[in-house]
Amino acid sequence: MTSTPTSTPTSTPLSAPHSFQVDLRGLVDLLSHHLYSSPRVYVRELLQNAVDAVTARQAIDPEAQVGIRLSASGGRVTIEDSGIGLTAAEAHSFLATIGRSSKRGGGDELHDQALEATRREFLGQFGIGLLACFVVARQIRVVTRSARDPRAAPVEWLATDDGSYTVRELPHAARPEPGTTVVLEARPGAAEWTVPAKVEELARDYGSLLPYAITFDDGEGGEPRPVTDRPAVWERAFPTPAARRAALAGHCAELFGFAPLDSIDLDLPVAGVRGVAYVLPDPTSPAHRAGHRVHLKGMLLTQRADNLLPDWAFFVRAVIDTDTLRPTASRENLYDDETLSAVREALGARIRGWLAELAASDPDRLAAFLRVHHLGVKSMARHDSELLGLMLPWLPFETSAGSMSLQEFAAAHTDIHFTRTVEEFRQIAPIAAAHGLGVINAGYTYDADLLALLPSVRPELKVTELDAGAVTERLDPVPTAAELALAPFLATARTRLEAQSCDVVLRAFQPVTVPALYLDDRQARQERDRTAAMESADSLWSGILGALRGSAPRARLVLNHNNPLIRRISGLQDEALTGTAVESLYGQALLMSQRPLRPADSALLNRAFLGLLEWATHSGAHPTDARDGEEDQK
């Protein structure tokens, strides 16, 4: 048996590889409208290239003289450096190729290994370089001479914003020493960015912490002014701690516009981070994302870094210099990676350490801080039991005995009750205080979470949520004989308030001036809402909601037998007037509790008010007349 050979398809020969083409105008539009937040970054690019060039020169010649000079006049911006310089071939390769940086390897293994030892000191890593300056320039002229090859002639690289450039060698006299001079000419509409005062302002903003001396010349014949201001204020030596605090406060006012409550050193040598955090003098929302100032190897990276510190540290503004954290491609923010996460955690630990130091050595300063920023500390303490134990003597809470710390409150009450809402606290706080019941208002942010954690640091304390039944049980009962004598009155009151899903009980409590107390806990409100939903639902849902009926107690109107008004009302012979008076007591107690009124509650208040007016102004009128008139209108 013979086999038939299979045929193979004929392959088409590959064409020669092609290079990508880049439209410079399109690139400039991309940079200015999408990558960079503002044209102001062109000054950073100029400073960055100059600093990197000087860094490379120092790597091969540590004795070389260092100098960077920036100037601006007549719509031109010039920067001169004594850096590594370029040859003609390097000018072609590095100045006009997107993505290629002189800070990266060039393919020569020995050269790359030598370069790797110093590349960590470079600021630029993305190869955009001078081309980014076209966001403000119509023409860029570079005159450079290489320090690597002393015999190489100076080179001029001249580029325009139409995407073309020329390279030519110059006589040696055009630039006797190694280094680079870059001259930008402003494009139409961008002249404002080349005004001398603006250029100097941007240079100081971006470059004040750069490692080399940089000066600025405005072209008016005066002495060049320094741009850099090193060492950073947090690294300087001061004669006294008070002098250092004053210097840091001035630095904060200059950068952030406020006088800080205190300053916190953020020195992490292992992580390559140095800086300071300033404590805000005014309260701020925990939801507000703080903007911190970050320098990368001395160059300002961003003024709005919102991922540098933990979210709970919203009460500080930080300024740091780092040589380990990664920038984004635009070099205007930090890249959120594992390194940044570790640094963020370590900086948070520094802030916690500052709080611990204040608690141990300077309680007055800590108390001043907590008066402004107790919410931030409470937020931290929810996730840090050690910090909760540390801050316990200082954290303020609203209690039935006034504003005080948990430590002070626990000294008087081993059984601690709390309410989850401000309204619940307000309605029972006066009564609780009079009867020795310890209640804390946990209706504010984080307080309920902290109270739930309290037994973990103070096991001898019992913390429970307060309900209407617990309050009623703490009030003094009325003698049985007195309560039996008032049974008709109580029956009338309960009948009148049945429609409000409210029970009526009689107790004796202080203060005497409070005639009635409205008690309504969360379970009672849920049961009332379920009942209302069942009444308005169809038969199917009514059956389902009826099956969910709970055993929770209803709201309670507690009448104070010690109050003279209650005694007079309970002695009225007119049942209708008694019912109207009870509705008025209910409405007054409800208003005192500061709860939102339901439509039925508003209708009851209106009816009781009109009924009492009718009775007071017409001696022969009956308080039910107002109710009858209301029914007629319906």
Side-chain angles (χ1 to χ4, degrees):
M1 182 176 180
T2 59
S3 61
T4 304
T6 58
S7 61
T8 58
T10 304
S11 59
T12 303
L14 296 174
S15 62
H18 298 278
S19 297
F20 285 102
Q21 301 298 312
V22 176
D23 174 55
L24 184 58
R25 291 185 186 276
L27 174 66
V28 170
D29 180 74
L30 176 66
L31 294 177
S32 59
H33 291 94
H34 300 284
L35 187 61
Y36 295 141
S37 61
S38 166
R40 70 198 305 269
V41 298
Y42 88 92
V43 174
R44 183 193 66 193
E45 297 294 340
L46 291 176
L47 292 173
Q48 177 176 287
N49 285 340
V51 168
D52 286 345
V54 170
T55 300
R57 175 78 179 275
Q58 291 281 294
I60 65 171
D61 184 7
E63 303 301 322
Q65 185 177 1
V66 172
I68 299 174
R69 178 168 173 158
L70 181 66
S71 59
S73 63
R76 291 187 176 185
V77 177
T78 304
I79 188 166
E80 303 174 69
D81 68 68
S82 58
I84 194 69
L86 299 171
T87 63
E90 290 171 338
H92 277 290
S93 178
F94 298 133
L95 296 184
T97 304
I98 305 300
R100 176 171 295 180
S101 170
S102 60
K103 276 74 80 174
R104 298 189 180 137
D108 184 315
E109 184 177 352
L110 293 177
H111 175 266
D112 290 354
Q113 290 175 352
L115 185 61
E116 184 63 30
T118 59
R119 65 176 297 188
R120 289 191 301 271
E121 304 301 321
F122 293 127
L123 300 172
Q125 298 289 331
F126 295 96
I128 296 174
L130 278 178
L131 295 183
C133 293
F134 277 115
V135 296
V136 299
R138 70 173 184 84
Q139 177 180 282
I140 301 176
R141 181 174 183 262
V142 178
V143 176
T144 181
R145 183 168 186 174
S146 175
R148 292 193 183 96
D149 185 359
R151 295 172 299 176
V155 176
E156 179 195 67
W157 181 87
L158 183 64
T160 58
D161 61 0
D162 63 1
S164 63
Y165 73 92
T166 60
V167 175
R168 67 187 179 102
E169 292 187 347
L170 302 176
H172 284 269
R175 186 171 184 99
E177 298 296 329
T180 301
T181 300
V182 180
V183 181
L184 307 184
E185 290 190 11
R187 64 191 305 174
E192 62 177 300
W193 297 103
T194 62
V195 174
K198 187 66 173 180
V199 175
E200 183 177 12
E201 175 193 343
L202 294 176
R204 291 182 187 279
D205 198 32
Y206 280 114
S208 62
L209 298 184
L210 288 172
Y212 306 114
I214 301 173
T215 59
F216 177 79
D217 186 354
D218 59 11
E220 296 183 359
E223 286 292 320
R225 296 182 288 272
V227 169
T228 48
D229 185 22
R230 290 184 64 88
V233 63
W234 56 83
E235 294 179 333
R236 297 174 191 170
F238 293 94
T240 63
R244 186 175 189 271
R245 283 197 298 270
L248 289 172
H251 180 250
C252 177
E254 181 180 352
L255 285 186
F256 299 115
F258 64 85
L261 277 178
D262 208 344
S263 57
I264 308 168
D265 285 317
L266 301 178
D267 189 16
L268 303 174
V270 176
V273 173
R274 305 156 299 280
V276 63
Y278 295 114
V279 181
L280 290 165
D282 300 308
T284 185
S285 170
H288 178 67
R289 299 284 287 182
H292 306 292
R293 190 178 176 94
V294 177
H295 295 257
L296 179 62
K297 301 182 179 70
M299 180 73 76
L300 177 66
L301 185 70
T302 180
Q303 303 179 71
R304 299 182 297 274
D306 59 4
N307 55 355
L308 178 66
L309 296 180
D311 289 342
W312 53 256
F314 57 84
F315 50 83
V316 299
R317 296 291 181 270
V319 52
I320 67 163
D321 187 19
T322 176
D323 51 23
T324 58
L325 299 179
R326 290 175 57 195
T328 59
S330 66
R331 294 193 293 280
E332 293 187 313
N333 212 335
L334 292 172
Y335 187 78
D336 212 333
D337 56 9
E338 292 181 357
T339 302
L340 177 58
S341 179
V343 167
R344 184 163 50 236
E345 184 177 345
L347 293 177
R350 290 285 176 158
I351 297 174
R352 284 198 301 270
W354 168 77
L355 286 171
E357 183 180 350
L358 285 188
S361 62
D362 200 338
D364 291 339
R365 283 171 65 200
L366 178 63
F369 164 75
L370 287 177
R371 280 195 294 271
V372 179
H373 295 297
H374 59 276
L375 275 181
V377 178
K378 287 181 177 181
S379 175
M380 285 190 294
R382 291 180 305 154
H383 309 291
D384 192 329
S385 59
E386 181 180 352
L387 184 64
L388 176 61
L390 179 68
M391 293 289 104
L392 192 63
W394 309 100
L395 293 177
F397 287 82
E398 184 179 5
T399 77
S400 54
S403 180
M404 61 179 61
S405 70
L406 284 180
Q407 181 87 345
E408 295 171 314
F409 192 71
H413 303 278
T414 54
D415 287 343
I416 295 178
H417 302 274
F418 69 93
T419 63
R420 289 191 178 273
T421 67
V422 175
E423 292 81 7
E424 289 178 14
F425 176 80
R426 286 173 178 168
Q427 65 179 317
I428 60 92
I431 313 302
H435 289 265
L437 186 65
V439 182
I440 292 178
N441 182 3
Y444 296 115
T445 307
Y446 309 131
D447 284 3
D449 294 338
L450 292 177
L451 287 172
L453 293 171
L454 184 57
S456 66
V457 295
R458 294 286 300 274
E460 73 277 11
L461 297 179
K462 180 182 178 182
V463 179
T464 57
E465 183 173 355
L466 188 68
D467 58 29
V471 177
T472 306
E473 290 171 4
R474 293 297 295 264
L475 304 180
D476 297 333
V478 177
T480 303
E483 188 164 6
L484 287 174
L486 296 177
F489 162 70
L490 293 175
T492 299
R494 289 164 183 156
T495 300
R496 187 59 70 93
L497 296 183
E498 178 63 29
Q500 311 302 320
S501 298
C502 181
D503 290 333
V504 178
V505 296
L506 188 66
R507 292 289 187 272
F509 57 86
Q510 300 295 327
V512 175
T513 54
V514 177
L517 175 66
Y518 180 80
L519 296 177
D520 185 21
D521 54 31
R522 184 172 51 176
Q523 290 180 322
R525 289 195 299 275
Q526 289 174 346
E527 180 65 16
R528 189 168 59 247
D529 292 342
R530 186 202 60 77
T531 302
M534 185 175 66
E535 292 174 353
S536 61
D538 57 27
S539 57
L540 174 62
W541 282 108
S542 294
I544 295 175
L545 292 171
L548 297 176
R549 181 183 299 274
S551 60
R554 302 196 301 174
R556 297 183 183 185
L557 182 67
V558 184
L559 302 178
N560 188 359
H561 191 252
N562 292 335
N563 183 267
L565 178 61
I566 296 297
R567 289 177 180 247
R568 288 197 296 271
I569 293 174
S570 65
L572 293 173
Q573 300 301 313
D574 189 327
E575 183 177 339
L577 179 58
T578 300
T580 301
V582 169
E583 288 182 338
S584 299
L585 290 171
Y586 171 86
Q588 187 267 349
L590 191 61
L591 291 174
M592 292 300 294
S593 72
Q594 301 185 34
R595 291 188 178 281
L597 296 180
R598 299 172 296 161
D601 295 329
S602 299
L604 177 143
L605 280 171
N606 182 61
R607 182 172 64 241
F609 177 71
L610 293 178
L612 290 178
L613 281 180
E614 288 286 348
W615 178 82
T617 57
H618 298 86
S619 58
H622 198 280
T624 56
D625 291 347
R627 294 172 57 88
D628 295 339
E630 188 177 279
E631 293 297 327
D632 292 340
Q633 291 177 7
K634 291 181 180 179

